[in-house]
Amino acid sequence: MSFPPPQGNIPPYGAPHGAPPAHQSAPQGFPPQPSAYGQQQGYPPPQQFGQQHPGYPQQQHPYGAPVPQQQQYTGHPLGQSGPPQQQFGVQQYGSSMPTPPSPGYGPNTMPVNEATAAAAADALRKSMKGFGTDEAALIRTLCHYPGPLIPHLKQTYQQRHSRNLESDVASETSSHFEFGLLSILRGPLQQDVFLLNKALKGIGTNESLLNDVLIARSNADLNAVKHAYQATYHHTLESAVSDDLSAKTERLFSMILTATRNEESALVLPQSIDADVEELHRSTEGKHGTDELKVCSLLSSRSDGQIRALALAYEAKYRISVEKLLAKEFSGHMKTALIQMVRAGSDRAMRDALLLEDSMAGLGTKDEMLVSRVVRCHWDREHMGQVKGAYKVKFGKDLVQRIKGETSGDYQRLLVAMIE
């Protein structure tokens, strides 16, 4: 199956990620055969929001870059026994450098162009002033405005026009189009806070929204979300989640919210991966009954790179993918949360492609979920290109055309603009 052509300098989904540095050699036998969420050429490293836009700070491992050799699984031949098992819960990976917050989740480091902000603010006011609204101008101005600069844009709009930008947009638009524009105007961090409140308020829990925001996040981003949530709603996110969930699922999300998972710079050590494989096996199909909390602790504490290596090694040794294992051993919200962890670690672009399709599959479109997922992906243009490629590989169709078939009007035009 062919991949879609590159977009700008975005590599096509699944393309080779380059040779190892000159002073290193590729490990023998790596990469193993592809699992359900990887391509034979290798597995893309975790990405951060917004890396391609000029001015975004360079994150540790841009999506599609070569996987650092020290993070690849290079140990005992897969399927053979490794070193003695280590005690579960002991830190096996050593110290590592913290992953910096994604753009929009920490102090802004992007250069601010006052003239650009003023022009955008004036264009937005013009599009909503007087009789009627120029929806095309709203889309054109906002759909690719950098997330970290959204607060400055709103401030500029207020200073130049003595009006609140979000209030004006809310009064001039409606329905899913309004929801999409306001999702952009909240910026990456405040949109996460908004979605968490939406997931937790009222009777019941919107499990999908909770998973989307909290699972497979960097420690820096998760801490930023916790602080912003408490500043907005005046109680801790941990207490809100604990009050809404119960039993072992509540324990899982308590583990996630500690924001202490291994950093992406942590080494992927062969003996540690072997130990994790055996621990996962002993906690699931290797015993009568599943030790759910051990599995939760294992997966919630590992980095994406470590989860990727674990998934490859486990499938090679026990001939079942970790995703299928989890689907067999778990149920309900805990199952979907754990599977999403594994999908994000194995191939984040494919994970997001599957989430987008889930928003459209079946009878009727889950419009607000679709909008939220498109907005989250669109902050990182390089990642969005990879998601489009992954969608094409998985479903054999173009993501834009799929969305056009499920939406209409200005709502459709906004989503398409964010994707293209």
Side-chain angles (χ1 to χ4, degrees), residues 321-331 335 338-339:
S321 71
V322 173
E323 180 174 339
K324 289 181 179 178
L325 171 71
L326 296 174
K328 182 179 71 170
E329 298 285 334
F330 292 83
S331 62
K335 179 179 78 172
L338 292 173
I339 287 176

Side-chain angles (χ1 to χ4, degrees), residues 188-254:
L189 177 57
Q190 288 302 323
Q191 174 68 359
D192 280 352
V193 170
F194 170 82
L195 292 176
L196 285 171
N197 184 60
K198 187 177 179 66
L200 297 169
K201 71 179 181 181
I203 300 175
T205 305
N206 188 323
E207 297 172 357
S208 296
L209 280 183
L210 198 65
N211 291 352
D212 284 1
V213 177
L214 296 182
I215 287 178
R217 302 299 298 271
S218 71
N219 295 330
D221 287 1
L222 198 52
N223 280 320
V225 170
K226 292 196 297 181
H227 293 151
Y229 184 93
Q230 184 165 1
T232 303
Y233 298 109
H234 309 296
H235 56 265
T236 67
L237 179 58
E238 292 92 335
S239 64
V241 170
S242 179
D243 290 345
D244 231 52
L245 302 179
S246 61
K248 294 179 181 178
T249 304
E250 186 270 330
R251 292 282 301 279
L252 169 60
F253 278 84
S254 293

Side-chain angles (χ1 to χ4, degrees), residues 1-52:
M1 181 179 293
S2 61
F3 297 108
Q7 302 181 16
N9 63 349
I10 299 172
Y13 173 79
H17 299 296
H23 65 283
Q24 297 177 353
S25 59
Q28 294 295 320
F30 190 90
Q33 293 300 307
S35 63
Y37 294 93
Q39 300 302 315
Q40 187 171 335
Q41 292 89 346
Y43 295 84
Q47 80 288 353
Q48 302 292 336
F49 292 120
Q51 290 169 325
Q52 190 182 0

